[in-house]
Amino acid sequence: MEKTDLAALLPEAKQGNQKAQMAIITAFRPLVMKLAGQEKNLSLRPDLASTLVLGILEAIVKYPGEDPRRFPGFVKTHLNFLLSHYIRKEARWNKLKEKLYGQTQENYTEDFTLRVQRRELQDAFLCLAPDEQRLVYLAAGQRIPWKTLGEGFGKPVSTLYGRYQKALKKVREKVKRGSAGPGVRSQKRP
């Protein structure tokens, strides 16, 4: 843009002349497109370009003085400030989205798989007799020593350990039948 054009347009644009404002915006279009091109998401570039155009209008209103020679630098500084603000805002928004959704898609898939496995294990655990459930819970879940368990159940440790191994085998078989494949469900036996 020639400085003589800017010298004539700037006072009119500050007064609210829309033709003068459009001429200035058109003159800074390459700068706007260059800065908007820094947005990686192509669908958001037009929004950023619109924000930068509004920034040019702000710069016209906020420009101190009538000397048009420093106006291009003022506009560039103002647009770079708006761009840095936009980038920080997008980074904050992305962090917030991650917090809101709790995790990325890969983590969500892993978490879903773990929840399904936990549910299958719980279902298999519920198929045990109440004494077996209690034994497995105390031995595996609470890690109570076998000697203490023997005293609590009033049975020899070897007998309890054998029952514990049988209960775990039942759980493994139930889980194995339950995860035979997608669409295949184990049926309860009467």
Side-chain angles (χ1 to χ4, degrees):
M1 169 182 256
E2 292 181 21
K3 292 185 182 194
T4 54
D5 292 336
L6 190 57
L9 292 174
L10 188 58
E12 292 176 27
K14 283 185 95 155
Q15 294 296 322
N17 184 333
Q18 291 182 352
K19 288 184 181 181
Q21 290 173 347
M22 282 304 296
I24 292 174
I25 289 170
T26 304
F28 285 101
R29 181 170 164 54
L31 177 62
V32 167
M33 299 313 292
K34 178 183 174 185
L35 295 175
Q38 292 184 21
E39 171 59 57
K40 294 175 185 164
N41 187 343
L42 296 177
S43 63
L44 294 178
R45 284 185 184 177
D47 292 337
L48 178 56
S50 297
T51 301
L52 294 174
V53 167
L54 290 174
I56 293 173
L57 293 174
E58 285 177 1
I60 290 170
V61 173
K62 290 181 179 180
Y63 183 65
E66 300 293 323
D67 185 16
R69 291 179 291 174
R70 295 182 182 226
F71 183 69
F74 182 79
V75 169
K76 188 173 181 179
T77 302
H78 188 66
L79 294 184
N80 280 321
F81 168 77
L82 289 177
L83 179 64
S84 66
H85 177 70
Y86 174 85
I87 291 170
R88 285 192 309 270
K89 185 174 84 172
E90 284 299 310
R92 282 193 310 268
W93 172 242
N94 289 336
K95 282 183 182 179
L96 179 63
K97 278 196 299 189
E98 192 173 311
K99 282 183 182 178
L100 287 175
Y101 298 124
Q103 48 208 350
T104 61
Q105 184 62 34
E106 298 86 27
N107 290 342
Y108 178 78
T109 305
E110 289 174 19
D111 189 46
F112 177 75
T113 305
L114 289 174
R115 279 188 273 145
V116 168
Q117 290 172 346
R118 186 179 308 129
R119 189 174 303 126
E120 289 173 352
L121 188 59
Q122 286 172 342
D123 291 344
F125 182 75
L126 293 175
C127 291
L128 297 176
D131 286 347
E132 292 172 324
Q133 287 180 4
R134 186 169 160 244
L135 178 63
V136 170
Y137 173 74
L138 293 173
Q142 298 296 315
R143 299 193 187 280
I144 294 178
W146 286 102
K147 186 176 181 181
T148 308
L149 288 174
E151 292 169 1
F153 278 88
K155 305 273 185 200
V157 172
S158 59
T159 303
L160 283 180
Y161 190 74
R163 289 182 183 176
Y164 172 75
Q165 289 299 325
K166 286 179 185 177
L168 289 181
K169 186 176 181 182
K170 283 182 189 178
V171 170
R172 277 190 224 105
E173 288 174 358
K174 176 70 175 168
V175 169
K176 195 173 190 179
R177 277 183 289 167
S179 63
V184 177
R185 292 187 179 229
S186 61
Q187 298 187 3
K188 293 183 177 178
R189 297 183 185 186

